[in-house]
Amino acid sequence: MYDNPISCLAQPGFVDGLHCVVTTVSAPLWDVLIWMLIGIGLFFTLFSGVAQFRLFGRSIKSMLGSRANHDDDAGISGFQAFVTGLASRVGVGNVAGVAIAISIGGAGAVFWMWLIALIGMCSALAESSLAQLFKVRDGSTGQFRGGPAYYIEQGLGQKWLGLLFALALIVCFGFVYQSIQSNTITLAMQSASGCAAEDPTCQSQWQIYKHMVGALLVVLTAPIIFGGIRRVAKIAEVVVPIMALIYLLVALVIIVMNIGALPSVIALIFEQAFAFEAAGGGLFGSMVSVAMMQGIKRGLYSNEAGQGSAPNAAAAASVRHPLDQGMIQMFGVFVDTLIVCSCTAFIILLAQMPENAANLSGIQLTQAALESHVGSWGQYFLATILFIFAFSTIIGNYAYAESNMQFLKNNTTVLTLFRMAVLGFVYFGAVVKVDVVWDMGDLTMGTMAFINLIAITLLSRYVFVLIRDYQSQLKSGVAHPVFKLDNYPELKQKVKSDIW
């Protein structure tokens, strides 16, 4: 049975009480959400004809081609939308999140990360295609914006639900996730400095250093987010491919160095994936193992498939057909989990861990694993890479939140105040306890995903229309399909723009 949130009032201190409330509310939500993610992902997979596999090659072609084929000042390029999505996806979740999943759920959690990504690729295709279809032009700038709040309002005719989603996303990506990124940066720098948890003098010093790190992040973040989504996209276009490539190359070297042990590690992942230990109470919670819960939670945090976040970047792109951006974001899920998260998992599972590994959390566990492979410089390397990962995620997260803030109130003064609040949470995360921000992230992420999954299921017929339209054009010999809304009168009545 779940605890009563009222009982959390007995917890000493505000932070402990808040943490108690968050975990108490989050547990039953996630017990249901696990099955929604799997069920709705399978629904789109089956009724789209396994589109994530059939259109996989086309998704790579669309992503690469979009970098050159961009001639509309109203939107960013498809490639920029892809890397903006990756800037948010590829970050702390790929490094610290994977470590947390393995430390709590065992090696089997990796299997569930893989599975939810493969299923979720089709959910990502659906939500980003819908975001493109229902995107609008900003009245003051003429630029594209959209996302779940927009397709909920137009497609379902339920503005109140769109407002609720926008509010959940703003809290999640504008505030909570920003705290997670800055928190992980602080932990990585503390670990790289050699500050041990059992050293009281060092811990006391880091209470001061944390504030310095938070202030530095605020100074670096401010000029980027005040430049809006276009500046975010330009920064992400340069930073994301470089940082991801460096991390992947180091991981590949480590895997090659330990190639003999790789088969046994893969076998361990599959063996422990089905070792059952109930993750929660109630009917739904008792049906989910710890490995399954942790793998799916951390997988969703990392790849965001079905969560309703990446569609906000997808909507800002200028493309010929809504499905183009759907496929591109679908490929982003593959890159995030099947490639980057897998690299982190193998770095950890192939390592000879130190005796104090049980006391390490998140990023510090990954740093210890990397150090066991390559020596002490691994701590500094990962701290540097993580800083770039997390910082790019901060600006990528902001891009999502900005679009939804404009949905709530498209006002310059309100947007300025919001940006200042975002910077405040970047600072807050650098100095607060790690488990609090991660659990707050699970709650807000779960709320978003719950609303979005229901919405895309109710709008699924439009997703299938887009898929059929795209494929019919390909079969008729059209090299680059173009969507024409006039061909679909019923749909035209719902779309509130003249873009298509």
Side-chain angles (χ1 to χ4, degrees):
M1 295 296 293
Y2 305 114
D3 293 330
N4 188 328
I6 302 298
S7 65
C8 295
L9 297 175
Q11 293 289 330
F14 171 76
V15 174
D16 289 336
L18 174 64
H19 191 197
C20 176
V21 171
V22 167
T23 53
T24 301
V25 175
S26 182
L29 171 64
W30 270 96
D31 288 343
V32 175
L33 190 58
I34 290 290
W35 298 106
M36 287 181 65
L37 283 164
I38 295 173
I40 292 173
L42 286 174
F43 166 75
F44 278 106
T45 296
L46 295 174
F47 284 89
S48 68
V50 200
Q52 65 265 56
F53 298 111
R54 289 190 301 104
L55 298 174
F56 185 77
R58 185 75 190 186
S59 70
I60 299 175
K61 184 177 180 180
S62 293
M63 184 270 294
L64 296 175
S66 67
R67 191 166 191 173
N69 300 324
H70 178 242
D71 53 6
D72 191 340
D73 291 336
I76 60 179
S77 71
F79 180 78
Q80 286 177 323
F82 170 72
V83 294
T84 300
L86 274 187
S88 180
R89 285 190 178 108
V90 178
V92 169
N94 303 81
V95 184
V98 173
I100 290 173
I102 292 174
S103 64
I104 298 176
V110 179
F111 169 84
W112 294 105
M113 291 183 73
W114 289 340
L115 182 64
I116 202 63
L118 288 172
I119 296 173
M121 286 171 68
C122 213
S123 301
L125 171 72
E127 62 184 358
S128 291
S129 297
L130 287 171
Q132 269 289 321
L133 177 63
F134 290 101
K135 69 185 179 183
V136 299
R137 293 183 192 271
D138 186 283
S140 57
T141 65
Q143 296 175 10
F144 298 142
R145 54 184 171 88
Y150 297 81
Y151 57 68
I152 289 171
E153 179 192 12
Q154 297 176 53
L156 297 180
Q158 303 294 327
K159 186 168 184 177
W160 69 271
L161 189 58
L163 290 170
L164 182 60
F165 177 88
L167 185 60
L169 187 142
I170 288 166
V171 173
C172 184
F173 279 83
F175 304 143
V176 177
Y177 275 14
Q178 307 297 44
S179 296
I180 289 177
Q181 309 308 315
S182 56
N183 185 280
T184 306
I185 288 174
T186 302
L187 283 176
M189 295 178 70
Q190 181 177 348
S191 180
S193 71
C195 182
E198 59 272 12
D199 185 342
T201 302
C202 180
Q203 291 296 316
S204 178
Q205 291 176 338
W206 264 95
Q207 295 307 311
I208 300 173
Y209 296 155
K210 284 180 179 180
H211 294 279
M212 296 171 62
V213 173
L216 174 63
L217 288 172
V218 168
V219 170
L220 292 175
T221 305
I224 298 175
I225 69 172
F226 272 88
I229 192 170
R230 281 184 175 273
R231 186 173 297 174
V232 170
K234 288 179 180 178
I235 297 293
E237 188 175 24
V238 176
V239 173
V240 173
I242 295 174
M243 70 176 187
L245 182 60
I246 293 173
Y247 183 68
L248 293 177
L249 286 174
V250 171
L252 181 62
V253 170
I254 290 172
I255 292 171
V256 171
M257 289 168 54
N258 297 273
I259 194 69
L262 189 61
S264 61
V265 166
I266 295 175
L268 181 67
I269 289 172
F270 281 87
E271 177 185 333
Q272 293 191 2
F274 302 98
F276 192 83
E277 178 185 348
L283 173 63
F284 292 106
S286 62
M287 295 169 62
V288 179
S289 70
V290 174
M292 183 178 179
M293 177 68 79
Q294 287 300 316
I296 293 178
K297 268 189 179 183
R298 300 281 71 85
L300 179 61
Y301 173 80
S302 181
N303 63 52
E304 304 175 13
Q307 184 179 340
S309 49
N312 295 275
S318 174
V319 294
R320 297 183 178 93
H321 196 288
L323 204 72
D324 276 321
Q325 190 56 215
M327 292 187 297
I328 288 173
Q329 295 299 332
M330 177 187 78
F331 180 63
V333 174
F334 177 87
V335 172
D336 173 89
T337 305
L338 275 299
I339 297 179
V340 184
C341 283
S342 295
C343 285
T344 300
F346 289 133
I347 287 173
I348 295 171
L349 295 174
L350 289 169
Q352 297 293 323
M353 300 301 292
E355 293 182 1
N356 69 334
N359 299 322
L360 300 177
S361 174
I363 183 60
Q364 293 176 329
L365 181 63
T366 310
Q367 284 179 297
L370 190 60
E371 184 176 13
S372 77
H373 288 297
V374 301
S376 59
W377 70 267
Q379 285 271 1
Y380 307 109
F381 167 78
L382 193 58
T384 303
I385 288 293
L386 202 283
F387 183 93
I388 301 172
F389 269 170
F391 181 70
S392 71
T393 303
I394 286 173
I395 62 176
N397 287 348
Y398 171 76
Y400 296 165
E402 180 188 272
S403 177
N404 284 268
M405 180 55 69
Q406 290 174 320
F407 179 83
L408 292 180
K409 186 69 174 179
N410 193 11
N411 177 279
T412 303
T413 302
V414 171
L415 197 58
T416 299
L417 292 173
F418 169 66
R419 288 166 174 166
M420 293 174 67
V422 169
L423 295 175
F425 274 86
V426 170
Y427 180 83
F428 169 77
V431 299
V432 78
K433 274 172 57 177
V434 61
D435 50 353
V436 176
V437 291
W438 276 99
D439 288 334
M440 287 177 67
D442 285 342
L443 176 59
T444 52
M445 171 178 67
T447 303
M448 280 178 54
F450 186 82
I451 298 172
N452 185 59
L453 288 169
I454 292 174
I456 64 174
T457 303
L458 294 175
L459 294 170
S460 59
R461 63 184 183 276
Y462 302 132
V463 177
F464 302 139
V465 164
L466 293 175
I467 293 174
R468 288 194 296 269
D469 182 88
Y470 192 89
Q471 291 184 313
S472 65
Q473 291 189 52
L474 287 179
K475 289 179 181 178
S476 64
V478 178
H480 301 288
V482 177
F483 184 68
K484 296 179 180 178
L485 190 60
D486 289 336
N487 295 337
Y488 301 95
E490 179 190 352
L491 190 52
K492 189 174 183 179
Q493 293 177 4
K494 291 184 174 292
V495 176
K496 296 180 180 179
S497 74
D498 58 354
I499 297 171
W500 301 108

